[in-house]
Amino acid sequence: MPLSRALARHQTPAVLIALLAIIACLSLVGQSDALHVTLTEMFIRVVVVVGLYVFIGNSGIISFGQIGFMCIGAYAAAWATAEPTFKQIMLQGLPVFLQEAQYPFLGAMAGAMVLPAAVALILGFAIMRLSGTAASIATFAFLIIVNSVYSNWDSVTAGVSSIIGIPTVVGPWTAYVFAAVAIVVAYLFQVSRIGLMLRASRDDEVAARASAVHVLRMRLAAFVLSAALVGLGGGLYAQFLGILTVDPFYLSLSFITLAMLVVGGMFSLTGAVVGVVVVTAVVEILRALERGVGLGDTAFSLPSGSQEIGLGVVMALILIFRPSGLARGKEIRLFRAAPDAPPAAVPDAALQLSESPTSAR
């Protein structure tokens, strides 16, 4: 395949990464701490929502439990990087190699991916045999189990208390780099043989099975990769906050990440990224209006809770007027490949020479 056609065919991740880079440059224009926090959270959520897309978008199964993997990844990073003194006092149930050491950032991120992936591999053997509503309910049950275990396992997770002493090394540009990596990984899976067979089973499972597609294996591969990416987002979140509790990793975060995927369009990588950007913008605008805006001598402000109401209205409007999301299930492309050149005309003399004696007669 010529280079120009290859670039045209696989331009989607490059375009998305470039668009996010433009947004990341806002951190250079404005030195506001609030802006830096907003951008960092947005890029972390890009990692998480792209992870959701890897499974939900390619398999067609709505999973309510992926934020459970984010929780597992966040705690894995916290165990690796928190102050050893704190871990020896408060987290005495941890293994010695975690209690007495403080590992580097990249090692913590590796742990934040491996541990959720291992849990997903074990869990997936049971859940991936289900489909439709049954699978969605099973993933929601997994989220409840994770929240309950991490809220009560005092010697390992500190229960409802906080894990402190986590280095805060994640800023807008660090989160952007990992968001770019997540986009590339998700796109490579999307165009891979496994991704193509998984989408075939999503569109017509009976026909896919008849074509020798092992649906369980395809779903399991997507489930494990999705858990790894979502867990990576959790690890970044822990190293962004510097303090960790189990409370954020439950229904509220599950709702907003799924809302981002639905608003953008769950059947395309472009939709996953666009949904995060659009929903973040809507939430920040509503949050500013809740704080109050001056209009001459008077101040106008929305009542508390307007963020959730506004997000619900946006989702309802998207589902009514564009059910497939803002991206409509399509990938962003700035240019298309040049059409193939038509075959060269064969000279008349060559045609006459190629004719057989029988056809000449």
Side-chain angles (χ1 to χ4, degrees):
M1 179 185 296
L3 179 60
S4 60
R5 292 184 61 82
L7 292 175
R9 181 180 177 185
H10 302 294
Q11 64 183 287
T12 296
V15 174
L16 293 175
I17 291 170
L19 292 176
L20 291 182
I22 295 172
I23 297 174
C25 288
L26 293 175
S27 64
L28 303 177
V29 176
Q31 297 301 318
S32 168
D33 291 339
L35 178 61
H36 285 195
V37 169
T38 299
L39 291 176
T40 305
E41 286 186 336
M42 187 191 75
F43 290 134
I44 292 173
R45 287 178 177 176
V46 167
V47 176
V48 174
V49 176
V50 165
L52 293 179
Y53 160 74
V54 167
F55 177 69
I56 297 176
N58 289 287
S59 70
I61 298 174
I62 304 296
S63 173
F64 298 106
Q66 301 303 96
I67 296 303
F69 296 119
M70 187 179 179
C71 178
I72 294 172
Y75 273 87
W79 293 333
T81 59
E83 289 287 344
T85 304
F86 173 83
K87 291 187 286 187
Q88 291 170 11
I89 296 174
M90 297 296 296
L91 306 177
Q92 298 180 0
L94 288 178
V96 175
F97 73 91
L98 287 176
Q99 279 191 32
E100 299 179 352
Q102 192 171 20
Y103 294 93
F105 170 67
L106 292 179
M109 292 303 99
M113 295 179 69
V114 171
L115 184 58
V119 174
L121 182 62
I122 298 171
L123 180 71
F125 276 110
I127 293 182
M128 294 303 103
R129 298 178 185 276
L130 307 174
S131 60
T133 305
S136 298
I137 293 175
T139 57
F140 183 66
F142 166 72
L143 176 64
I144 296 174
I145 291 171
V146 169
N147 183 266
S148 179
V149 169
Y150 275 69
S151 296
N152 294 282
W153 202 357
D154 295 339
S155 63
V156 173
T157 65
V160 294
S161 301
S162 302
I163 296 179
I164 61 175
I166 305 171
T168 53
V169 298
V170 174
W173 286 101
T174 305
Y176 163 75
V177 170
F178 280 95
V181 171
I183 289 171
V184 171
V185 171
Y187 183 77
L188 291 177
F189 177 81
Q190 173 180 302
V191 299
S192 69
R193 180 171 174 266
I194 295 176
L196 293 173
M197 288 192 292
L198 182 60
R199 288 198 300 281
S201 69
R202 176 196 70 189
D203 297 335
D204 192 332
E205 183 176 343
V206 175
R209 291 183 184 276
S211 302
V213 173
H214 199 297
V215 177
L216 174 61
R217 292 178 185 173
M218 303 303 108
R219 288 178 178 173
L220 184 60
F223 194 63
V224 171
L225 180 58
S226 172
L229 290 177
V230 174
L232 174 62
L236 294 170
Y237 194 64
Q239 304 250 226
F240 163 62
L241 294 178
I243 184 170
L244 188 62
T245 61
V246 72
D247 292 339
F249 306 102
Y250 203 41
L251 297 180
S252 178
L253 189 56
S254 297
F255 168 73
I256 196 167
T257 50
L258 283 172
M260 290 172 170
L261 187 61
V262 170
V263 167
M266 66 175 63
F267 295 133
S268 71
L269 179 59
T270 300
V273 177
V274 169
V276 176
V277 175
V278 170
V279 171
T280 299
V282 171
V283 169
E284 289 303 313
I285 291 172
L286 294 174
R287 186 176 296 171
L289 293 176
E290 282 186 8
R291 291 194 295 264
V293 178
L295 297 174
D297 296 333
T298 61
F300 170 77
S301 63
L302 293 176
S304 299
S306 297
Q307 297 177 47
E308 289 77 8
I309 296 174
L311 186 56
V313 170
V314 169
M315 282 190 63
L317 292 175
I318 291 294
L319 291 173
I320 293 171
F321 296 104
R322 191 169 287 191
S324 56
L326 294 175
R328 293 185 174 179
K330 299 178 181 179
E331 302 295 356
I332 187 171
R333 292 185 179 181
L334 298 182
F335 59 92
R336 298 188 179 277
D340 294 331
V346 181
D348 293 340
L351 287 174
Q352 294 175 2
L353 291 174
S354 64
E355 289 181 349
S356 64
T358 305
S359 61
R361 290 195 297 269

